[in-house]
């Protein structure tokens, strides 16, 4: 009997094309009840994924077993967002089975690319914060860390963006319509999450005052697991996404009263908690459903962590030794009062012991300094929804304020600034303050950003707890962002310097020497051209628009936000248009400007930017005088998958935020790695990219953080800049007077008013002249292709620092205390 079992196992996990084919056919028949003759593409895709899953399951189980046996310290990354995108390519790259699966598909009559393209993106995030979480999972598995992601399985991810008449329209992202074969539902892993009720005091056997949280209502959190394979190291970690389901015993009395329909409707209400991702990037909207989502995530995750812990350890006081919990921004910071509540109310520890465990176990990452993004939950809302937690937060605050007094004396203003509860018309809980007080480390996401939080929003806290603040500059996974998305370049690099770069990205430095190797440089530049042509083919097929592949591909892709200043590139496009119209015979370096990005549905200004970009694009693209010289194009529905096509095709990377506002940026890193030249401000990680690639290999312009401060202090007037720059004035007048929208000439007044009468908070006009000059530098450099591609190659060669493997090693060492696990016996030895 055991032989048949093992035989079957062997077939299931065979790594050769023949056994893969057998499994695909078997899944078609026995998992999907169809066969190769009748299956459609979706079904074929599903069997392919199931066959990949078969090859992950043993490693998945073995990895967990090993962690248990060795009592490995576990790292829990809690995040409201995981922007993981598609998983098929990634799994095959990490399993080293790309070719075998390609061949298997081909033999069975399917083109691998076509099958791959069936997969919907898992778009469970808004932007940088969510994508960072996804890169971190890849790196944790690759480095052999016991790192687990915890998030929510939203039925609807970030909305699908359509463009109608130039305007953004939002459509629901029904990514689970046909289910996803990547997620395994685990009915055995389900926890009640409680809400409402009240906190009731009582005296325990030892005469201590204690509290019980009573009369609560609850929903269940059901685990759905997605495997996260490391790069060719046999490690498979887990991303656990919670789905809300209603309690089984749902209000049986109402059945008796014949209110069956109402009871069923209640099920719907419970399940709404995991229905939809909030589509706001950096705008705090204090809606109760969002607060419920945050607590739903925290409560289910902590229950899961502690259940697992108790299976292996018996003393919760050792929790920080075996568990580290990272909160991705303040969204999971209810972990502070919830862990306190569990330790005191359920485990019977006293305040001091509970506090010590909590602070040592938790840490928190800040991703933005924009004040409108900071979470402040109304006390009234918490009192209703989580009364016991609010009580604990008050107690944390009371004790903390005492410490502030001890530390700073009677400084009323400071106490007011530092209080976790802000008083006023609507008292609220400052989640960032809670995070700093209740965790042992707070990190910024780039060096400049970390300095800024120490000096500005968290200054008082830094003065009190300097040792808590630390920088962890962001990174990106080289597997997805080079090996997968730019195969031709990855292959060229590997053929020159070997493939150690895949897990040791700094080895790309070896490419530095190739700048004078003509043959290599020809191949390097040919690949860029090939990638541009591939993108052009995609755009032609999907939009019927023909990109000029001889032009500079100048790309800005990211969320639409005033601080990111898409408007500045749009103004530049219009100014180029005017220049070419006025100088029809002057030589110009041809340019194709490409935008993509979503605007939060409630962010009117950002949506207006999209319309403006589309109006300017129409003007440019429909004018025969622009032919061969200038194009402008907005691609709809920006996504991880679209980024994977755009980034390898970019010549120029636009990273032009107002200095001090972009915490790090990670797109900047992806572009540089793929050989695009950055035009950017000294903001976020651009500063560190400049340090790495060298001043000559990046085009920096505009105000610095200090310059911005100085200009504001001395009294900025956007009108002066408007009047001083003719080309700029002309474009702003055109936007204001309806040149780009003749049928509705006042359409863009909100934009021009904010620039002029509103005094241009984001300093677009202040930076524009320097930006236009920098764009001339781009033209000049691009006109000398040999020079250009040297600069491009230095970018590819020198951005090794920005591998998320480095970032994760830094977290492991300075925050999580698990540096001993890094790469332990799992070093990748080459294929
Ligand atoms: C920064 N999102 C990037 C990236 O660190 C940085 C906030 C509130 C609610 C929902 N989403 C958010 C962010 O704050 C965010 O994405 N921040 C970004 O984090 C990773 O590289 O500069 O803007």
């Amino acid at each position: 009997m055991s032989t048949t079992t093992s035989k079957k196992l062997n077939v299931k996990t065979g790594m050769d094309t023949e056994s893969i084919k057998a499994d695909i056919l078997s899944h078609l028949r026995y998992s999907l009840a169809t066969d190769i003759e009748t299956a459609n593409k979706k079904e074929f895709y599903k069997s392919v994924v199931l066959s990949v899953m078969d090859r992950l399951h043993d490693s998945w189980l073995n990895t967990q077993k090993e962690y248990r046996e060795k009592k490995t310290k576990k790292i829990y990354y809690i995040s409201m967002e995981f922007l993981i995108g598609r998983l098929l390519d990634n799994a095959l790259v990490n399993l080293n089975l790309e070719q075998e699966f390609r061949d298997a598909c081909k033999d069975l009559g399917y083109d691998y690319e076509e099958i791959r393209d069936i997969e919907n993106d898992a778009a469970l995030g808004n932007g940088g914060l969510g994508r960072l979480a996804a890169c971190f999972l890849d790196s944790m598995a690759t480095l052999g860390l016991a790192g687990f992601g915890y998030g929510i399985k939203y039925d609807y991810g970030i909305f699908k963006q359509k463009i109608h008449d130039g305007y953004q329209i939002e459509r629901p992202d029904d990514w689970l319509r046909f289910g996803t074969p990547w997620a395994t539902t685990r009915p055995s892993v389900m926890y009640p999450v409680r809400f409402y009720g009240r906190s009731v005091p009582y005296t325990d056997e030892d005469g201590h005052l204690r509290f019980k949280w009573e009369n609560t209502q609850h929903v269940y959190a059901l685990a759905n697991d997605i495997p996260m394979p490391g790069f060719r190291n046999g490690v498979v970690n887990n991303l656990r996404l919670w789905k809300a389901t209603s309690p089984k015993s749902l209000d049986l009395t109402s059945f008796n009263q014949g209110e069956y329909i109402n009871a069923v409707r209640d099920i719907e209400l419970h399940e709404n908690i995991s229905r939809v991702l909030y589509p706001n990037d950096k705008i705090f909207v204090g809606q109760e459903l969002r607060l419920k989502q945050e607590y739903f995530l925290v409560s289910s995750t902590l229950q899961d962590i502690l259940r697992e812990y108790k299976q292996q350890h018996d003393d919760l006081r050792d929790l920080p030794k075996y568990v580290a919990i990272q909160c991705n921004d303040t969204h999971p910071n209810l972990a502070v009062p919830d862990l306190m509540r569990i330790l005191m109310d359920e485990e019977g520890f006293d305040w001091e012991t509970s506090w010590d465990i909590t602070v040592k176990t938790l840490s928190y990452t800040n991703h933005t300094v924009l004040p409108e993004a900071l979470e402040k939950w109304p006390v009234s809302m918490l009192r209703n929804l989580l009364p016991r937690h609010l009580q604990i937060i008050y107690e944390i605050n009371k004790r903390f304020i005492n410490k502030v007094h001890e530390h700073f004396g009677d400084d009323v203003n400071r106490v007011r600034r530092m209080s976790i509860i802000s008083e006023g018309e609507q008292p609220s809980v400052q989640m960032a303050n809670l995070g700093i007080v209740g965790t042992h480390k707070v990190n910024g996401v780039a060096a400049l950003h970390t300095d800024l939080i120490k000096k500005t929003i968290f200054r008082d806290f830094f003065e009190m707890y300097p040792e808590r603040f630390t920088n962890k500059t962001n990174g990106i996974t080289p597997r997805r962002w080079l090996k997968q998305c730019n195969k031709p370049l990855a292959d060229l690099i590997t053929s020159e310097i070997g493939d150690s770069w895949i897990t040791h990205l700094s080895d790309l430095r070896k490419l530095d020497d190739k700048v004078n190797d003509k043959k290599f440089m020809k191949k390097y530049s040919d690949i860029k051209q090939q990638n541009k042509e591939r993108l052009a083919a995609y755009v032609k097929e999907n939009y019927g628009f023909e990109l000029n592949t001889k032009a500079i591909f100048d790309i800005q892709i990211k969320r639409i936000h005033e601080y990111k200043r898409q408007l500045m590139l749009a103004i530049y496009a219009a100014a180029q248009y005017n220049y070419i119209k006025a100088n029809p015979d002057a030589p110009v370096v041809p340019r194709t400007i490409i935008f993509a990005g979503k605007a939060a549905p409630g962010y009117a200004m950002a949506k207006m930017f999209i319309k403006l970009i589309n109006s300017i694009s129409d003007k440019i693209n429909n004018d025969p005088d622009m032919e061969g010289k200038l194009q402008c194009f907005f691609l709809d529905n920006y996504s991880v998958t679209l980024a994977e096509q755009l980034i390898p095709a970019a010549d120029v990377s636009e990273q032009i935020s107002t200095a001090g506002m972009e915490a790090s940026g990670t797109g900047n890193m992806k572009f540089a790695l793929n050989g695009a030249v950055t035009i950017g401000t000294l903001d976020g990680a651009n500063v560190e990219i400049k340090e790495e690639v060298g001043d000559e290999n990046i085009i920096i312009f505009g105000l610095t953080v200090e310059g911005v401060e100085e200009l504001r202090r001395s009294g900025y007037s956007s009108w002066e800049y408007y009047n001083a720059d003719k080309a700029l004035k002309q474009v702003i007048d055109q936007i204001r007077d309806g040149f780009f929208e003749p049928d509705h000439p006042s359409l863009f007044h909100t934009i021009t008013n904010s620039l002029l009468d509103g005094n241009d908070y984001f300093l677009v006009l202040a930076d524009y002249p320097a930006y236009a000059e920098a764009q001339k530098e781009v033209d000049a450099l691009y006109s000398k292709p040999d020079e250009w591609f040297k600069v491009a190659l230095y970018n590819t060669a020198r951005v090794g620092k920005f591998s998320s493997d480095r970032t994760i090693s830094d977290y492991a060492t300075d925050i999580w205390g698990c540096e001993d696990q890094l790469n332990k016996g799992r070093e990748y030895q080459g294929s």
Side-chain angles (χ1 to χ4, degrees):
M1 195 168 120
S2 69
T3 39
T4 30
T5 317
S6 77
K7 227 185 197 167
K8 208 170 160 210
L9 273 179
N10 283 342
V11 173
K12 277 287 185 197
T13 54
M15 299 297 179
D16 57 298
T17 305
E18 286 312 311
S19 55
I20 290 167
K21 272 160 60 182
D23 284 349
I24 294 174
L25 292 173
S26 158
H27 276 299
L28 278 176
R29 178 170 289 268
Y30 300 111
S31 304
L32 304 178
T34 179
D35 58 26
I36 191 75
E37 279 82 40
T38 46
N40 67 14
K41 253 194 237 166
K42 274 205 176 70
E43 289 165 324
F44 190 81
Y45 157 77
K46 221 170 178 175
S47 324
V48 168
V49 175
L50 291 173
S51 307
V52 176
M53 289 288 271
D54 291 340
R55 282 154 184 78
L56 287 167
H57 282 148
D58 281 331
S59 306
W60 204 0
L61 292 168
N62 290 340
T63 302
Q64 309 317 313
K65 188 162 172 237
E66 190 182 317
Y67 293 155
R68 276 198 302 275
E69 284 171 1
K70 296 194 173 152
K71 301 202 168 181
T72 310
K73 183 163 188 174
K74 298 211 167 126
I75 314 304
Y76 297 100
Y77 197 83
I78 312 189
S79 178
M80 289 289 282
E81 310 191 5
F82 285 93
L83 195 38
I84 53 184
R86 286 182 183 161
L87 301 180
L88 184 55
D89 260 350
N90 186 249
L92 293 179
V93 161
N94 285 9
L95 287 171
N96 201 9
L97 287 176
E98 302 147 273
Q99 197 53 52
E100 289 76 3
F101 268 84
R102 229 166 241 282
D103 294 343
C105 289
K106 196 165 163 223
D107 288 358
L108 295 172
Y110 286 92
D111 175 29
Y112 171 76
E113 266 81 25
E114 246 180 282
I115 294 308
R116 177 196 63 193
D117 291 346
I118 299 279
E119 183 171 355
N120 290 327
D121 273 41
L124 310 182
N126 277 284
L129 170 153
R131 182 55 231 175
L132 186 74
C135 285
F136 280 5
L137 294 179
D138 186 82
S139 283
M140 288 193 287
T142 295
L143 289 168
L145 293 191
F148 300 88
Y150 276 81
I152 293 177
K153 191 183 186 213
Y154 301 106
D155 295 329
Y156 296 91
I158 189 70
F159 63 85
K160 279 208 161 14
Q161 178 197 55
K162 301 238 169 296
I163 302 297
H164 273 265
D165 187 27
Y167 292 97
Q168 166 174 301
I169 307 280
E170 301 91 20
R171 291 271 171 269
D173 163 42
D174 198 2
W175 73 292
L176 288 172
R177 177 138 64 145
F178 304 105
T180 168
W182 295 107
T184 303
T185 303
R186 298 202 186 276
S188 59
V189 184
M190 197 159 97
Y191 301 98
V193 175
R194 301 193 285 158
F195 293 103
Y196 307 107
R198 61 201 178 102
S199 174
V200 182
Y202 69 99
T203 311
D204 70 9
E205 298 146 11
D206 305 325
H208 295 124
L209 175 65
R210 295 204 166 269
F211 293 88
K212 257 189 223 156
W213 184 16
E214 286 188 349
N215 280 92
T216 53
Q217 299 174 26
H218 63 282
V219 301
Y220 276 97
L222 171 61
N224 284 262
D225 289 351
I226 299 180
M228 290 289 140
F231 183 73
R232 299 181 192 173
N233 62 356
V235 172
V236 179
N237 286 341
N238 195 26
L239 168 59
R240 180 157 284 176
L241 300 177
W242 301 107
K243 179 178 161 49
T245 73
S246 59
K248 263 191 274 167
S249 58
L250 193 88
D251 206 359
L252 274 177
T253 48
S254 52
F255 282 76
N256 300 337
Q257 290 160 23
E259 290 191 16
Y260 168 73
I261 294 295
N262 283 343
V264 175
R265 198 192 51 198
D266 282 356
I267 294 180
E268 180 82 357
L269 285 178
H270 285 106
E271 294 185 346
N272 277 344
I273 290 187
S274 58
R275 193 73 69 214
V276 57
L277 166 76
Y278 274 88
N280 309 306
D281 181 90
K282 300 189 194 69
I283 311 166
F284 172 65
V285 189
Q287 288 185 4
E288 192 187 54
L289 181 60
R290 167 77 178 192
L291 182 59
K292 280 187 175 166
Q293 290 184 335
E294 294 184 356
Y295 184 63
F296 173 78
L297 170 61
V298 162
S299 170
S300 51
T301 302
L302 287 182
Q303 291 182 68
D304 201 40
I305 292 172
L306 293 179
R307 179 175 82 162
E308 179 81 17
Y309 179 86
K310 285 177 174 178
Q311 284 169 4
Q312 289 167 62
H313 311 277
D314 22 68
D315 193 342
L316 274 166
R317 282 169 295 193
D318 288 334
L319 190 70
K321 201 167 144 202
Y322 295 106
V323 168
I325 300 175
Q326 188 71 36
C327 295
N328 199 17
D329 215 287
T330 58
H331 318 150
N333 278 358
L334 284 171
V336 175
D338 200 44
L339 188 51
M340 286 297 286
R341 182 191 62 80
I342 296 170
L343 292 170
M344 293 190 300
D345 299 2
E346 293 176 10
E347 303 292 340
F349 289 106
D350 60 19
W351 181 280
E352 284 75 18
T353 309
S354 306
W355 185 245
D356 187 58
I357 297 171
T358 299
V359 171
K360 284 185 179 146
T361 304
L362 298 173
S363 45
Y364 135 69
T365 304
N366 172 277
H367 293 270
T368 179
V369 295
L370 297 189
E372 63 272 25
L374 298 181
E375 290 194 297
K376 298 172 201 247
W377 289 108
V379 163
S380 55
M381 204 183 269
L382 278 166
R383 182 174 293 121
N384 178 40
L385 198 67
L386 300 166
R388 177 64 182 130
H389 295 78
L390 180 65
Q391 189 184 24
I392 292 170
I393 291 170
Y394 268 107
E395 181 65 22
I396 294 172
N397 197 39
K398 192 181 99 194
R399 290 168 184 249
F400 172 64
I401 297 290
N402 286 340
K403 290 224 172 89
V404 175
H405 279 297
E406 270 170 40
H407 201 274
F408 295 107
D410 264 346
D411 184 342
V412 204
N413 283 325
R414 201 189 283 261
V415 169
R416 186 159 10 86
R417 289 197 303 265
M418 296 179 82
S419 178
I420 296 168
I421 317 273
S422 73
E423 298 300 341
E425 224 171 89
Q426 195 188 48
S428 57
V429 174
Q430 319 277 313
M431 297 300 280
N433 298 14
L434 179 62
I436 303 169
V437 174
T439 73
H440 70 293
K441 291 282 166 181
V442 180
N443 77 284
V445 291
L448 178 76
H449 168 244
T450 308
D451 285 346
L452 270 177
I453 61 176
K454 290 182 193 173
K455 284 192 199 138
T456 61
I457 51 173
F458 300 150
R459 181 182 180 144
D460 298 306
F461 293 94
F462 177 61
E463 287 175 7
M464 185 156 163
Y465 296 129
E467 71 295 340
R468 286 197 185 185
F469 289 80
T470 175
N471 173 236
K472 294 288 162 279
T473 297
N474 284 165
I476 57 170
T477 167
R479 273 72 67 187
R480 184 175 293 259
W481 296 110
L482 180 51
K483 184 155 181 22
Q484 263 171 255
C485 75
N486 198 346
K487 195 165 182 305
L489 181 55
D491 289 347
L492 173 66
I493 293 170
T494 296
S495 73
E496 293 292 326
I497 63 166
D499 63 1
S500 65
W501 62 270
I502 302 170
T503 48
H504 295 86
L505 197 62
S506 296
D507 288 355
L508 290 181
R509 281 267 168 179
K510 293 179 197 154
L511 293 173
D512 249 33
D513 299 339
K514 302 282 175 203
V515 285
N516 296 316
D517 176 340
K518 286 223 169 79
K519 258 168 116 182
F520 173 84
M521 291 309 287
K522 169 86 171 59
K523 288 184 198 158
Y524 183 76
S525 54
D526 282 353
I527 286 170
K528 183 59 79 180
Q529 192 56 36
Q530 219 178 292
N531 291 340
K532 288 165 75 169
E533 273 152 26
R534 187 174 62 141
L535 176 63
Y538 171 84
V539 170
K540 174 84 187 151
E541 189 179 323
N542 290 278
Y543 301 88
F545 185 76
E546 209 139 334
L547 298 178
N548 173 11
T549 55
K550 292 205 186 81
I552 299 175
F553 275 19
D554 179 353
I555 306 190
Q556 187 173 25
I557 46 176
K558 49 184 83 239
R559 285 297 285 242
I560 311 294
H561 205 296
E562 286 162 284
Y563 88 79
K564 294 178 187 281
R565 300 199 292 194
Q566 279 92 357
L567 184 54
M568 198 151 71
L569 178 54
I571 291 174
Y572 170 75
Q576 280 299 95
Y577 172 86
N578 291 332
Y579 175 81
I580 296 167
K581 285 306 257 188
N583 304 277
D585 301 322
V588 291
V589 184
R591 232 190 241 247
T592 293
I593 296 169
I594 298 171
F595 291 94
K598 292 174 183 177
Y603 191 173
M605 185 66 84
K607 291 175 120 175
M608 213 29 119
F609 284 5
I610 292 176
K611 173 65 181 169
L612 176 63
I613 290 167
N614 282 314
S615 298
I616 292 175
S617 299
D618 282 349
K619 191 73 165 183
I620 291 173
N621 301 338
N622 292 317
D623 188 327
D625 294 350
M626 297 300 124
E627 210 180 306
K629 294 182 177 173
L630 183 65
Q631 296 180 310
C632 190
F633 200 74
F634 186 95
L635 280 163
D636 65 5
N637 203 35
Y638 182 52
S639 64
V640 171
T641 295
L642 192 57
E644 288 167 7
Q645 303 197 54
L646 288 166
I647 290 167
D651 294 306
V652 172
S653 159
E654 296 276 349
Q655 309 300 338
I656 58 180
S657 51
T658 315
M661 294 191 154
E662 189 69 273
S664 162
T666 45
N668 47 3
M669 302 166 185
K670 296 164 196 167
F671 278 106
L673 181 60
N674 284 279
V677 178
T678 303
I679 180 168
T681 48
L682 281 177
D683 198 15
N686 296 352
V687 176
E688 290 160 80
I689 293 177
K690 170 172 170 282
E691 279 167 18
E692 295 298 305
V693 303
D695 296 358
E696 332 72 58
N697 300 309
I698 184 166
I699 297 176
I700 295 291
F701 72 93
L703 293 161
T704 58
V705 171
E706 295 75 28
V708 166
E709 266 169 32
E710 179 52 34
L711 181 59
R712 292 213 166 112
R713 211 180 11 243
S714 64
Y716 172 60
S717 163
S718 58
W719 283 104
E720 281 171 27
Y721 288 83
Y722 164 81
N723 285 314
D725 189 312
K726 264 195 176 155
L728 174 63
K729 180 173 186 302
Q730 184 185 5
V731 173
I732 292 177
D733 291 349
Q734 286 170 329
I735 297 173
R736 185 195 53 208
D737 299 339
F739 179 76
F740 299 108
E741 202 59 34
D743 293 341
H744 192 166
S746 63
L747 186 65
F748 299 124
H749 280 188
T750 44
I751 296 177
T752 49
N753 284 342
S754 93
L755 289 179
L756 297 171
D757 297 333
N759 207 26
D760 180 24
Y761 182 72
F762 298 93
L763 303 172
V764 175
L765 305 203
D767 268 343
Y768 186 78
Y771 181 58
E773 279 307 305
Q775 290 289 22
K776 281 190 191 150
E777 272 182 61
V778 169
D779 283 343
L781 187 61
Y782 198 80
S783 312
K784 293 178 272 177
D786 291 350
E787 295 298 306
W788 178 272
F789 283 106
K790 270 186 197 174
V791 171
L793 182 67
Y794 281 132
N795 274 267
T796 301
R798 296 179 177 182
V799 292
K801 171 178 171 185
F802 305 104
S803 166
S804 45
D805 299 343
R806 188 271 313 149
T807 312
I808 287 297
S809 302
D810 290 351
Y811 275 85
T813 309
D814 304 333
I815 302 181
W816 301 334
C818 62
E819 62 276 23
D820 56 312
Q821 273 184 58
L822 290 167
N823 276 323
K824 215 163 79 189
R826 296 196 178 279
E827 192 81 4
Y828 168 61
Q829 304 292 342
S831 49

